[in-house]
Amino acid sequence: MSRVEDRAVAEAGVEAVLTVLPGALPALRRELVRVGLTSSPCGGDVEPEDDDGERSDLGSGSTDNELRLVLPRTPETLRALARLRTAVAASLVVVADTPRPTGLLSSEALADLDRVLETISWQRPRVRFTGLRLEAAGSDSPQMRRIAAELADRAGVGVDDEGDLVVRVRRSPGGGWEALVRTTPRPLATRPWRTERYPGALNATIAAAVVDELDSHCEVAPEGRPVVVDLMCGSGTLTLERLARGPVARMVAVDIAPEAVAVLERHQRASRIKGRIEPVVADVADVARGGGALDDVRGTADVVMANPPWGELLGEHETNERLYRELLDAADRLGAPGVVVGILTHDIRRFERVLAGDTRWRLVARPQFFAKGHRPRLFVLRRA
């Protein structure tokens, strides 16, 4: 697409870049379709093709940690972006077709910046920024400081190294330079309800991607409501992300630690996410054996999920194989005939060894996610 065509498209809409954790891009694409921002899971209205004529896994201008697309310039678009759960952040784009970053200070580019800032202001409730933080290579150079000062002036705030109006300046994939203006004061990945730090808490966007993947395999009709069990709920990230996804018939959250269940309950109150959670303090080994633990759930769960300790902050590698066998036993006991089981773990080889020796289950998907040095894999299982 030429620069003239680019500008014509931009005039009719707004160009956005969504940051995503590697591995979560398929979930983000499905979420964009669900919320009505795109009509194709590839993130646009037409599925792109690669050089061999095959359908590509990435949209135009996309990478494994970004998705670039043009959206309608409406308040509804901004509200939908702010509600995304599988994206790390959303930014609107200003492009300058010049060889130097100072081209972003041209009258044309500044007019585009004003348009972007006006679009961001349409959010309700209205967001307020306290300062502009410029993120760029050489951000302390005179020309970058000049760019920061001018952009901050247009936004009506000061330059602040801790500012919440984040603007990334970088080379544009199509040539020239671009400024990416984050649409919200905090990243979308930040969950306001997470009021307490809890060891081993799962990254929320990974949790949202896990929920999306499991739902994509669940056989419960779209209008139906599944029975969901979180076997090792911890402080509640997976549980709350599942409730945020939509209504369930039952949401049972299990953990051996009473303090973890207490944090989950406080997090739910802070989240204001609707839906009843049934908290249960129990050892997964007892759930696997029966004898009273979750007997009323036996054979009814449509989805069983777990984020067991990886043997780093919590748990021990040496005992993980036993734990994984107990998890699969518990899932077998609780699951309905068509149950979908999701086990997320960073201790991949040990889980694979356990799974290889368990003929009750077949592997149907195994997406992997990447975040801050961790590479957990989700094992999605159905009955063999």
Side-chain angles (χ1 to χ4, degrees):
M1 185 179 289
S2 70
R3 281 292 174 188
V4 173
E5 291 172 318
D6 277 342
R7 186 159 295 282
V9 170
E11 303 245 339
V14 60
E15 188 174 13
V17 169
L18 304 180
T19 308
V20 61
L21 291 177
L25 186 57
L28 173 59
R29 285 179 170 145
R30 291 190 291 262
E31 185 178 16
L32 290 171
V33 174
R34 285 199 309 275
V35 302
L37 284 175
T38 64
S39 58
S40 162
C42 279
D45 290 334
V46 179
E47 294 186 15
E49 295 184 353
D50 62 21
D51 293 338
D52 297 321
E54 298 294 329
R55 291 300 181 190
S56 171
D57 184 51
L58 297 175
S60 177
S62 300
T63 66
D64 64 349
N65 62 355
E66 281 190 356
L67 183 63
R68 181 182 293 260
L69 62 169
V70 175
L71 300 170
R73 185 173 178 258
T74 65
E76 291 74 22
T77 292
L78 270 293
R79 284 196 290 271
L81 286 176
R83 291 194 297 266
L84 291 176
R85 306 193 75 83
T86 55
V88 174
S91 301
L92 302 186
V93 184
V94 175
V95 177
D97 190 13
T98 60
R100 297 180 182 277
T102 48
L104 291 166
L105 301 182
S106 69
S107 58
E108 188 174 47
L110 289 175
D112 287 344
L113 174 68
D114 290 341
R115 185 169 175 268
V116 161
L117 292 171
E118 179 189 28
T119 304
I120 291 173
S121 75
W122 291 346
Q123 295 181 80
R124 293 293 182 272
R126 186 171 181 176
V127 298
R128 298 186 182 278
F129 298 96
T130 60
L132 183 140
R133 181 167 86 243
L134 189 74
E135 295 182 349
S139 57
D140 290 332
S141 67
Q143 68 173 351
M144 285 299 178
R145 288 200 298 268
R146 178 186 165 202
I147 291 171
E150 181 64 33
L151 299 187
D153 184 63
R154 306 293 286 212
V157 296
V159 177
D160 184 349
D161 289 341
E162 303 297 325
D164 52 10
L165 177 57
V166 176
V167 179
R168 285 186 290 155
V169 172
R170 66 185 189 184
R171 292 189 181 275
S172 174
W177 288 80
E178 64 183 13
L180 277 61
V181 185
R182 197 172 72 190
T183 60
T184 52
R186 295 197 293 181
L188 300 177
T190 302
R191 301 298 194 253
W193 53 260
R194 185 168 271 170
T195 56
E196 300 183 38
R197 295 181 64 85
Y198 193 82
L202 182 61
N203 177 287
T205 54
I206 290 180
V210 166
V211 165
D212 178 88
E213 183 70 30
L214 296 179
D215 265 28
S216 73
H217 293 278
C218 185
E219 294 180 346
V220 175
E223 65 276 7
R225 298 185 176 190
V227 174
V228 182
V229 179
D230 184 351
L231 276 176
M232 306 187 82
C233 66
S235 58
T237 309
L238 265 178
T239 300
L240 290 173
E241 289 301 319
R242 182 55 191 85
L243 284 185
R245 171 66 181 251
V248 297
R250 290 184 74 178
M251 181 73 246
V252 183
V254 185
D255 203 280
I256 192 173
E259 61 271 22
V261 172
V263 173
L264 160 65
E265 293 177 312
R266 292 195 289 273
H267 279 167
Q268 187 189 19
R269 288 194 293 271
S271 74
R272 300 183 180 178
I273 295 174
K274 295 180 180 179
R276 178 172 175 264
I277 297 173
E278 301 175 38
V280 178
V281 177
D283 188 336
V284 69
D286 294 334
V287 175
R289 288 191 294 265
L294 273 69
D295 270 351
D296 63 325
V297 183
R298 184 172 186 173
T300 67
D302 301 295
V303 177
V304 175
M305 55 189 182
N307 172 36
W310 298 344
E312 294 174 1
L313 289 177
L314 294 173
E316 297 178 1
H317 288 300
E318 292 72 20
T319 60
N320 274 354
E321 288 195 24
R322 184 186 67 197
L323 174 61
Y324 294 149
R325 287 193 291 270
E326 292 167 347
L327 280 172
L328 294 178
D329 289 346
D332 185 38
R333 176 172 173 260
L334 300 179
V339 65
V340 176
V341 179
I343 309 294
L344 181 73
T345 181
H346 197 271
D347 202 353
I348 295 170
R349 291 185 179 179
R350 281 183 174 82
F351 186 81
E352 288 176 334
R353 284 200 295 268
V354 171
L355 185 61
D358 194 326
T359 59
R360 295 171 298 180
W361 304 101
R362 61 184 174 90
L363 181 66
V364 295
R366 39 178 269 150
Q368 190 167 17
F369 308 99
F370 300 81
K372 294 183 178 179
H374 288 122
R375 303 178 300 280
R377 187 179 290 280
L378 173 66
F379 291 84
V380 183
L381 312 175
R382 304 296 297 267
R383 294 190 187 278

